[in-house]
Amino acid sequence: MNRLMRMLPAVHVLQEHPKFNEWAQRFEISETFLTEELRAELQQLREALLAGTWKGEPTAEALTAHLFEKLAERLESYRANKLTPVINGTGVVLHTNLGRARLSDEAVQAVTRAAVNYSSLEFNRETGKRGSRHDLVEPYVCRLTGAEAAMVVNNNAAAVFLVLSALASDRKVIVSRGQLVEIGGSFRVSSIMEESGALLVEVGTTNKTRLHDYEEAVDEETAMIMKVHTSNFTIRGFTETVDTAPLAKLAADRECVYYEDLGSGAIYDFRAEGIGKEPLVAEVLAKGADLVSFSGDKLFGGPQAGIIAGKKQLIERLKKHQLARVLRVDKMTLAALEATMKAYLFGKAQTTIPVIRDMTATVADIRARAERFVSYANRTVPAFRFAVREETSKVGGGTMPDVALPTCGVTIVHPQWTTQMVLDHLRSHEPPVIGRVASEKAFLDFRTIREDECESVLSALREPVDQ
């Protein structure tokens, strides 16, 4: 062991090795950074020798070769992007793990313009003085929802936190037990309320909450009645909930705020397409809600954001709260939001916003895309067998959990591989192709695969396999 340790080359010796300059040029990095990474690899090798886990040849040449080999792997990992495009063949339109909503072409162009140029983020062109970033999208939100005022924060959980912190700190907030949801990643409404300083008062039961439950709970210490839209689960059977209008009236009568956390938040009426029962944001406000909040990257079809809309007096209080700066969004998010909102205003949402287009796509259109793929694949990828299959898709993103969207896709079978081996092979491609299992076969759902992505899928299947 001591002999091996003595064979470890010094850093200055490694810096004189031909590989040192070769690696600096190949990876286009400075000698300072390369030296730092070399020291890190040297330390790892030293620890392996001390632990007795080194399995290579006991020579100085082998140790040096190992160091530069591992150094190259480390530098390659730095060079590779961690956030990469993937092809979503799962059929889940709002796949949280895959980035939720895809942006429209117009939104992408708006983000690019905001990113590469100086912008009027907080500059009033008319007065030549400082402006407010709230003004960039507030008029659009008000037009789409009928709200008096609006603002945007970085996600809907942040919106909930801001509303509770600014309007109900150290005071009671009445919530039905059946609505104390977990919104994902172990974030719970009850925990957010606790962190905000609001005092949670639970009413009713898990499956039934009536108006008189709220009436009995409201007192002089009550700041807010809050309704949380249970968009990520459903309770069926012996159930009862209270609609917006009577709760809004109760809050008004008792001089407290009525706030609905809509979660997904629909501007487009999917019910007209026979898809789910998601309430429209405008409807909830029209029924008397003082405030509503919803996500930007779910049914709305834009970037990640938390959109808050409602009474002007309350929105102004939120804007002035210290958390508003902590939770504010950047210029690229605002650019994407503006472009997405314009699509709604100009009547182009269904044709230009990918979430709406994908959710409302007909089985016939999806089948035609899948059949074209299978026809070409059967001629050009002989190693696999392909077949068109009808299935169902999920909306995803904690939205409409009981909705099954009729869809069509392609099963992929290899004579020597298991289903998991096929899926693993697709996932190892660049870009990765993410599928799912249907009837014990690898399946790609063409609801979420664009026409221009089909060639990449075929390329993944043509790649040689080392299994």
Side-chain angles (χ1 to χ4, degrees):
M1 181 61 64
N2 289 334
R3 184 173 62 86
L4 280 174
M5 293 292 289
R6 286 194 296 271
M7 288 182 183
L8 277 176
V11 171
H12 72 273
V13 173
L14 292 169
Q15 288 175 314
E16 296 172 359
H17 194 282
K19 288 286 186 185
F20 185 85
N21 286 330
E22 182 183 338
W23 269 207
Q25 295 174 13
R26 173 179 163 185
F27 294 100
E28 299 180 335
I29 57 176
S30 68
E31 292 187 3
T32 300
F33 180 71
L34 185 57
T35 301
E36 290 173 356
E37 297 306 303
L38 186 59
R39 283 198 176 98
E41 283 300 334
L42 191 60
Q43 180 59 30
Q44 287 196 8
L45 179 55
R46 185 178 290 110
E47 291 171 0
L49 293 175
L50 290 171
T53 57
W54 167 255
K55 303 298 182 183
E57 296 179 13
T59 64
E61 291 77 10
L63 291 170
T64 300
H66 172 81
L67 274 170
F68 279 104
E69 179 183 340
K70 298 301 290 184
L71 180 60
E73 291 177 5
R74 177 185 285 257
L75 296 174
E76 284 286 2
S77 70
Y78 281 136
R79 188 159 63 173
N81 292 324
K82 299 295 186 291
L83 185 63
T84 60
V86 304
I87 295 174
N88 178 11
T90 68
V92 180
V93 179
L94 294 170
H95 201 306
T96 297
N97 295 347
L98 303 183
R100 288 191 182 164
R102 292 191 289 193
L103 294 179
S104 67
D105 291 341
E106 292 78 6
V108 171
Q109 292 165 10
V111 169
T112 302
R113 287 194 300 271
V116 302
N117 297 297
Y118 289 107
S119 64
S120 55
L121 178 63
E122 292 187 354
F123 179 75
N124 188 315
R125 294 173 57 186
E126 294 181 1
T127 65
K129 297 179 180 180
R130 184 186 179 103
S132 170
R133 68 181 67 199
H134 295 303
D135 296 341
L136 297 176
V137 296
E138 183 175 21
Y140 298 116
V141 179
C142 294
R143 182 73 179 272
L144 290 172
T145 66
E148 294 178 3
M151 67 179 295
V152 177
V153 292
N154 56 16
N155 61 31
N156 192 51
V160 174
F161 187 66
L162 175 60
V163 169
L164 294 173
S165 299
L167 305 179
S169 182
D170 295 323
R171 296 186 67 195
K172 295 179 181 179
V173 176
I174 314 298
V175 184
S176 168
R177 283 188 175 88
Q179 296 168 9
L180 293 175
V181 301
E182 182 172 307
I183 61 176
S186 298
F187 289 96
R188 298 176 175 177
V189 168
S190 56
S191 300
I192 292 174
M193 292 181 73
E194 182 180 352
E195 290 293 331
S196 72
L199 307 177
L200 170 63
V201 178
E202 302 175 29
V203 297
T205 63
T206 301
N207 60 317
K208 283 206 171 194
T209 304
R210 301 178 176 87
L211 182 59
H212 71 77
D213 293 318
Y214 291 94
E215 291 172 337
E216 293 175 356
V218 177
D219 59 23
E220 293 180 354
E221 298 302 317
T222 301
M224 183 181 297
I225 297 174
M226 179 179 178
K227 184 176 182 179
V228 182
H229 187 55
T230 54
S231 58
N232 61 358
F233 72 96
T234 57
I235 300 176
R236 298 178 181 177
F238 195 56
T239 64
E240 186 175 340
T241 59
V242 186
D243 194 31
T244 297
L247 287 177
K249 184 178 184 305
L250 174 61
D253 291 343
R254 302 293 183 89
E255 298 183 346
C256 59
V257 175
Y258 178 62
Y259 164 48
E260 280 204 27
D261 168 16
L262 288 173
S264 300
I267 301 295
Y268 182 86
D269 194 353
F270 291 97
R271 299 167 303 186
E273 308 283 344
I275 302 173
K277 300 177 182 178
E278 200 75 14
L280 297 181
V281 176
E283 291 175 349
V284 175
L285 286 168
K287 287 181 178 181
D290 296 314
L291 288 175
V292 298
S293 68
F294 57 98
S295 295
D297 58 347
K298 292 188 179 181
L299 293 179
F300 182 72
Q304 177 181 298
I307 302 169
I308 310 171
K311 299 288 179 63
K312 184 176 179 61
Q313 178 185 8
L314 297 175
I315 295 293
E316 289 303 315
R317 287 175 61 184
L318 298 180
K319 288 179 180 178
K320 293 175 181 176
H321 195 274
Q322 290 299 313
L323 280 175
R325 183 176 180 86
V326 176
L327 303 174
R328 71 183 185 180
V329 296
D330 72 337
K331 60 186 178 183
M332 290 177 283
T333 300
L334 289 167
L337 279 173
E338 181 181 16
T340 305
M341 289 175 185
K342 284 181 178 178
Y344 283 100
L345 290 174
F346 300 157
K348 299 179 179 180
Q350 189 170 13
T351 56
T352 63
I353 296 177
V355 168
I356 300 175
R357 187 178 62 221
D358 292 348
M359 284 181 60
T360 59
T362 66
V363 176
D365 287 343
I366 300 170
R367 171 179 277 278
R369 193 156 63 246
E371 287 176 344
R372 287 193 295 272
F373 177 88
V374 168
S375 175
Y376 189 69
N378 279 330
R379 298 195 309 270
T380 61
V381 191
F384 295 87
R385 296 196 301 271
F386 305 90
V388 174
R389 177 183 175 83
E390 291 197 357
E391 270 288 339
T392 57
S393 304
K394 288 289 188 182
V395 177
T399 299
M400 301 184 188
D402 56 348
V403 171
L405 300 170
T407 193
C408 194
V410 176
T411 58
I412 305 174
V413 176
H414 188 282
Q416 279 83 46
W417 295 359
T418 64
T419 294
Q420 190 57 53
M421 290 166 71
V422 175
L423 293 172
D424 290 346
H425 178 62
L426 288 166
R427 196 178 65 253
S428 67
H429 181 61
E430 290 297 338
V433 181
I434 314 300
R436 61 182 168 97
V437 178
S439 297
E440 301 181 351
K441 296 177 181 178
F443 178 74
L444 296 180
D445 189 330
F446 272 66
R447 178 178 293 278
T448 49
I449 296 179
R450 299 190 306 257
E451 193 80 46
D452 62 346
E453 293 175 322
C454 290
E455 181 54 43
S456 287
V457 178
L458 289 167
S459 176
L461 293 164
R462 293 190 192 107
E463 284 186 346
V465 182
D466 182 18
Q467 293 284 357

